[in-house]
Amino acid sequence: MHIAVATAVRLDELTRLSVEELSGIGPARARALNALGVETIYDLVTYFPRRYIDRSRQVSIGEAVPGEQVLLVGRVVDARRIPTRGGRVIVEAQLVDASGKITLTFFGQPYRAKQLASIAGEVAVFGRVELFRRRRQMTNPLVDPIGDKTGAIVPLYSLREAAGLNSSDIARAVAQVFSTYSDFVDVLPPSLRDHLGMYDVYQALWQLHFPSNEQARQIARRRVAFDELFLLQVKLAQLRAEREALAVATVHDTHPFGAGEARLVEDFLSRLPFAPTTGQLTAVGEIAVDMASEKAMHRLLQGDVGSGKTLVSVLAMLFAVQSGHQAVLVAPTEVLADQHFRSISALLAETKTPDSSTGRLFEGLPRPVTIDILTGSTPAARRRKLLAELADGYLDIVVGTHALFNDELSFASLGLVVVDEQHRFGVEQRSALTDRVTLQQGSSPDTLVMTATPIPRTAAMTVYGDLDVSVIEGLPPGRRSIETRWARTPAEATAAFELLRQQVGQGRQGYVVCPVVEESTKLQVRAVTDEYERLNNAELAGLRLGLVHGKMNSKAKEEVMAAFRSREIDVLVATTVIEVGVDVANATVMIIEDADRFGIAQLHQLRGRVGRGAEQSYCYLLSEAETAVAEARLGALVATEDGFALAEVDLELRGEGTVLGGRQAGRTDLKVASLSRDRELVLEARQHARAIIALDRSLAKHPRLRAMILALFGEDEADFLLRS
Ligand code: ADP
Ligand code: MG
């Protein structure tokens, strides 16, 4: 059945119509489109061009001048593999048009020979013209098959796996949608559309595929980006509102000097060797309000590295405990869970760190607080005991890894779930625990999510858009800034190790971090072990070195960490297993090898392992890389210690993908909007979305919007973010 009449259609209807319904698209073409992830007509109109070529800027091949970057359009002939002595494959081809020809040379891309030979029609080639043996050539240019193009600005679509499709095939299919339907019914409320003054959705989608000029494309992009962000924000606002309306939460006594049964928090605060910072108190205040209410708390706690998120989470947990409930803290790794267990125990006990092989009872407080740790490597007998103690309410706080998500766990009364480094967990895991407990006890535990390093505001609004956000402003007093240097030459690297030796001579400690070896963990272990041996015999000879990496079992790891904490080890040579949480105030030097191989957030997190005491600390970034990316990343690290500022730089450099991670995969993926470029648009979309949902949670008064939200995110609201 083909749709014959040109009519207006609702976009949500297009999400239910297969591309095969379009005239001119048969089963074969449909299959090719499916291979691109395009199944419905909606998928097709939102399959946006990857780039465009502006044919007015195109140069004829005869005119292409060596040294310049140019766009050429022509036909590929004579593509072939040229074997070399080194066994490397070079692929060569000729690009021809009426004015002349040029050689295209590809290194390390053996698939090119077949691919280029199979292209029918013209290709757009973008690259720098070089002279090689007096012939003009381009090395590893961008190649886009365009088919038979028309018009001044030609859309180029990503073609990945789609065999036998070129950009003009896709453009034709898209154009077919527009000739089938005379209009798309706009889902934005008319008042909002007028207010924003943007193209209507039909125009915008058309212009984004087939722009009449650059300005029109920009306006179209803005509208489509707005819709993307707006629809997501409506869903997030709805999710939040529905959750608030549904679940009755555990109500906590959050009075610090309280009427509560045991006044735990007051006593805890009075015994703390330092005063919480204003930033910490503000965050605790926001958490307290949520926890005292019948609405379930869903709050994100952001704070820079070292801002003291742990203390804030402990106060939240004590609110739960003094109200007669239990609290769990979930960390992404065993090292981190162990570290949390230690530092929370230390905060509670204000004595020496407890032995992690036994649960602890802190009798100093007006009411004993019990805490224990559960991970994948907890021995079966201890695990059984712990489960029983959780079920009968003996244990107040349990720290652990995802082992805590296990179905076997049941609680006497779980009041709070703290999730550290949330991005490493699937959302489904967190909500599975909460949902199960809610069913069991009839009230929902509160949830506090903590991020390791700050994430930019727009990203927080998108990835964690259904959560409220608290930010710990500032750092505890007395922190000295960490001197950060980029060691670009072997001499500067030597100086870095020299400084480390000096610091050790003065009783301090340090870290040397080796880069991740992507290929395999086996190679990784070898690399870090080799480096450990090398340093032992060279730069750091005579010092007491320890080695820690991800492949060691947790007992061995813990032994090394314990030796480091008790200063039996001067320098820890490590992979990024020490990235998060490790808290040794006596460590003052952090040396990061091949620093350009790490991301900004990781570098910032690693740097945060030093500067935790009163002494001046140092961070050396070792890298001889001269790339623009290295310049931008390492330059930013040297320039600022502000994690929020670094997060913005990171977003700009790396784009959304890395920030959004798995959570935004699939339908909620941002195709057009950019969290760094479209900052105000994110704010605007969120503001309008929240305003609408505040008055009309179920969208009864906005039926078109409602239909679209349902079409995109499905009925099962708690589930939509999980789809990927
Ligand atoms: P992060 O936010 O990076 O998780 P932590 O919670 O690990 O930071 O805290 C970093 C260090 O600062 C810890 O050693 C902690 O004991 C200490 N700390 C936390 N709050 C304060 C404070 N208000 N005054 C002094 N030191 C503090
Ligand atoms: Mg921490």
Side-chain angles (χ1 to χ4, degrees):
M1 180 208 80
H2 289 304
I3 311 128
V5 207
T7 51
V9 67
R10 296 201 325 250
L11 285 172
D12 61 282
E13 293 178 57
L14 297 187
T15 67
R16 292 183 289 273
L17 287 174
S18 146
V19 283
E20 243 187 292
E21 306 280 333
L22 289 169
S23 76
I25 296 192
R29 184 112 318 172
R31 262 197 307 281
L33 286 168
N34 291 351
L36 292 170
V38 173
E39 288 176 4
T40 67
I41 298 179
Y42 181 78
D43 293 338
L44 182 58
V45 279
T46 56
Y47 193 76
F48 299 110
R50 183 163 60 106
R51 298 192 300 125
Y52 305 83
I53 52 172
D54 184 347
R55 303 210 62 177
S56 62
R57 301 221 187 125
Q58 164 193 339
V59 173
S60 66
I61 295 175
E63 291 170 320
V65 179
E68 286 183 0
Q69 272 205 335
V70 292
L71 170 71
L72 305 174
V73 175
R75 280 172 196 282
V76 177
V77 298
D78 200 15
R80 59 203 164 99
R81 293 165 73 125
I82 301 178
T84 60
R85 254 178 287 151
R88 295 226 303 163
V89 176
I90 296 179
V91 172
E92 251 190 32
Q94 306 299 317
L95 184 74
V96 297
D97 71 6
S99 70
K101 72 175 181 178
I102 184 169
T103 306
L104 309 179
T105 309
F106 300 88
F107 292 97
Q109 306 176 10
Y111 63 91
R112 284 285 188 191
K114 221 170 159 186
Q115 183 217 33
L116 292 172
S118 72
I119 293 175
E122 296 192 293
V123 296
V125 175
F126 184 77
R128 189 175 299 284
V129 182
E130 301 156 354
L131 263 190
F132 182 69
R133 294 189 180 142
R134 291 206 258 139
R135 274 190 328 177
R136 289 176 313 151
Q137 73 163 26
M138 277 180 168
T139 307
N140 292 349
L142 292 175
V143 179
D144 285 293
I146 53 179
D148 329 306
K149 70 294 127 216
T150 46
I153 299 182
V154 180
L156 298 178
Y157 296 90
S158 171
L159 299 171
R160 290 172 316 219
E161 301 118 73
L165 278 187
N166 61 38
S167 274
S168 65
D169 296 327
I170 296 181
R172 233 189 333 267
V174 173
Q176 184 60 39
V177 182
F178 287 94
S179 54
T180 307
Y181 303 104
S182 60
D183 200 5
F184 300 145
V185 179
D186 214 315
V187 297
L188 291 194
S191 59
L192 178 54
R193 203 181 339 150
D194 291 348
H195 168 76
L196 294 166
M198 300 196 275
Y199 278 154
D200 70 38
V201 68
Y202 190 84
Q203 270 179 308
L205 288 169
W206 170 261
Q207 285 290 340
L208 205 46
H209 285 282
F210 310 109
S212 10
N213 54 53
E214 179 54 22
Q215 195 197 2
R217 192 187 71 80
Q218 295 280 354
I219 299 172
R221 198 196 79 83
R222 218 175 113 76
R223 165 67 209 255
V224 175
F226 181 85
D227 279 20
E228 229 173 47
L229 294 165
F230 176 74
L231 292 170
L232 183 57
Q233 290 295 339
V234 167
K235 185 65 214 183
L236 289 165
Q238 211 179 19
L239 190 62
R240 188 167 165 273
E242 274 163 14
R243 207 163 47 196
E244 277 187 358
L246 279 177
V248 173
T250 318
V251 176
H252 299 275
D253 168 16
T254 58
H255 202 297
F257 311 110
E261 92 167 271
R263 312 201 323 178
L264 276 183
V265 174
E266 177 187 11
D267 197 80
F268 171 77
L269 284 173
S270 71
R271 287 151 41 99
L272 208 58
F274 46 73
T277 64
T278 315
Q280 284 171 321
L281 287 176
T282 308
V284 170
E286 289 164 358
I287 290 166
V289 170
D290 283 3
M291 287 182 68
S293 93
E294 282 193 355
K295 289 180 185 168
M297 171 168 80
H298 293 275
R299 189 167 279 280
L300 177 72
L301 178 62
Q302 285 224 67
D304 207 344
V305 176
S307 61
K309 293 183 286 288
T310 312
L311 174 62
V312 171
S313 71
V314 167
L315 286 166
M317 290 192 272
L318 289 181
F319 286 143
V321 176
Q322 80 174 4
S323 318
H325 302 294
Q326 296 162 300
V328 302
L329 188 154
V330 197
T333 64
E334 290 197 10
V335 169
L336 192 51
D338 195 69
Q339 180 70 38
H340 272 303
F341 178 66
R342 241 161 238 296
S343 43
I344 293 168
S345 299
L347 279 171
L348 287 172
E350 248 308 285
T351 56
K352 59 181 174 19
T353 48
D355 173 1
S356 67
S357 64
T358 61
R360 282 289 286 203
L361 180 69
F362 295 104
E363 313 231 23
L365 291 167
R367 164 204 181 292
V369 173
T370 49
I371 176 170
D372 208 341
I373 177 167
L374 177 69
T375 68
S377 56
T378 304
R382 269 182 47 69
R383 181 185 150 85
R384 264 197 306 280
K385 178 162 171 285
L386 188 145
L387 293 194
E389 291 175 350
L390 270 182
D392 71 13
Y394 172 78
L395 270 179
D396 295 315
I397 297 175
V398 59
V399 176
T401 55
H402 58 274
L404 289 170
F405 294 133
N406 196 298
D407 284 351
E408 285 176 64
L409 258 68
S410 77
F411 298 84
S413 172
L414 182 61
L416 175 68
V417 179
V418 181
V419 188
D420 194 11
E421 335 271 88
Q422 150 81 15
H423 60 288
R424 302 203 189 183
F425 291 111
V427 192
E428 69 275 24
Q429 289 181 307
R430 166 163 64 83
S431 50
L433 176 63
T434 321
D435 293 350
R436 190 160 50 75
V437 168
T438 307
L439 274 178
Q440 273 171 15
Q441 63 190 36
S443 69
S444 164
D446 288 316
T447 305
L448 183 66
V449 174
M450 303 195 282
T451 59
T453 44
I455 57 174
R457 191 150 168 250
T458 52
M461 282 179 180
T462 309
V463 188
Y464 301 105
D466 55 330
L467 307 184
D468 296 308
V469 182
S470 287
V471 177
I472 304 179
E473 305 279 356
L475 297 177
R479 294 278 168 81
R480 303 182 48 173
S481 91
I482 301 166
E483 242 185 84
T484 305
R485 290 182 205 146
W486 177 0
R488 294 167 177 250
T489 63
E492 286 169 346
T494 306
F497 286 107
E498 200 41 52
L499 181 119
L500 174 55
R501 295 189 72 98
Q502 274 173 22
Q503 287 283 306
V504 170
Q506 294 169 24
R508 306 280 89 79
Q509 292 163 284
Y511 305 92
V512 177
V513 175
C514 303
V516 175
V517 177
E518 306 258 328
E519 291 73 25
S520 77
T521 31
K522 214 160 138 200
L523 287 177
Q524 169 79 66
V525 171
R526 191 180 326 141
V528 67
T529 311
D530 286 354
E531 182 62 3
Y532 167 81
E533 298 294 342
R534 197 190 66 76
L535 290 168
N536 220 347
N537 294 317
E539 283 94 335
L540 302 179
L543 305 190
R544 296 167 305 170
L545 304 192
L547 171 65
V548 53
H549 57 71
K551 269 290 151 214
M552 288 160 70
N553 68 37
S554 42
K555 186 151 171 290
K557 235 184 288 181
E558 193 31 58
E559 276 167 18
V560 180
M561 297 304 295
F564 187 65
R565 269 192 294 268
S566 62
R567 307 196 187 178
E568 288 153 38
I569 287 174
D570 299 315
V571 178
L572 207 52
V573 179
T575 55
T576 51
V577 289
I578 60 146
E579 178 188 338
V580 281
V582 174
D583 188 14
V584 176
N586 191 48
T588 55
V589 184
M590 166 63 67
I591 295 179
I592 305 171
E593 300 189 341
D594 288 346
D596 55 283
R597 312 247 323 248
F598 296 93
I600 285 186
Q602 238 179 344
L603 291 168
H604 181 57
Q605 185 61 246
L606 285 168
R607 174 167 65 180
R609 299 310 102 207
V610 297
R612 308 197 137 231
E615 308 292 335
Q616 176 65 52
S617 291
Y618 306 87
C619 174
Y620 284 90
L621 308 169
L622 271 43
S623 167
E624 295 181 25
E626 288 176 355
T627 60
V629 174
E631 203 72 47
R633 271 193 210 159
L634 304 185
L637 261 291
V638 171
T640 180
E641 277 182 61
D642 178 345
F644 285 93
L646 288 171
E648 296 289 347
V649 174
D650 200 21
L651 181 58
E652 245 149 64
L653 285 177
R654 300 207 294 177
E656 353 298 323
T658 51
V659 183
L660 299 182
R663 186 156 184 188
Q664 289 297 312
R667 287 237 170 119
T668 58
D669 218 356
L670 298 176
K671 291 177 178 164
V672 175
S674 149
L675 295 179
S676 55
R677 268 198 297 167
D678 299 318
R679 265 175 225 164
E680 7 60 82
L681 225 48
V682 178
L683 299 182
E684 228 171 325
R686 174 164 166 111
Q687 189 196 326
H688 290 296
R690 290 200 158 187
I692 288 173
I693 292 301
L695 296 176
D696 183 18
R697 194 178 82 216
S698 62
L699 293 173
K701 294 188 206 92
H702 299 84
R704 289 173 189 162
L705 184 54
R706 181 162 188 276
M708 192 64 196
I709 297 282
L710 272 176
L712 288 181
F713 305 115
E715 188 95 55
D716 189 353
E717 64 292 323
D719 239 32
F720 89 99
L721 282 168
L722 317 181
R723 257 192 258 145
S724 53

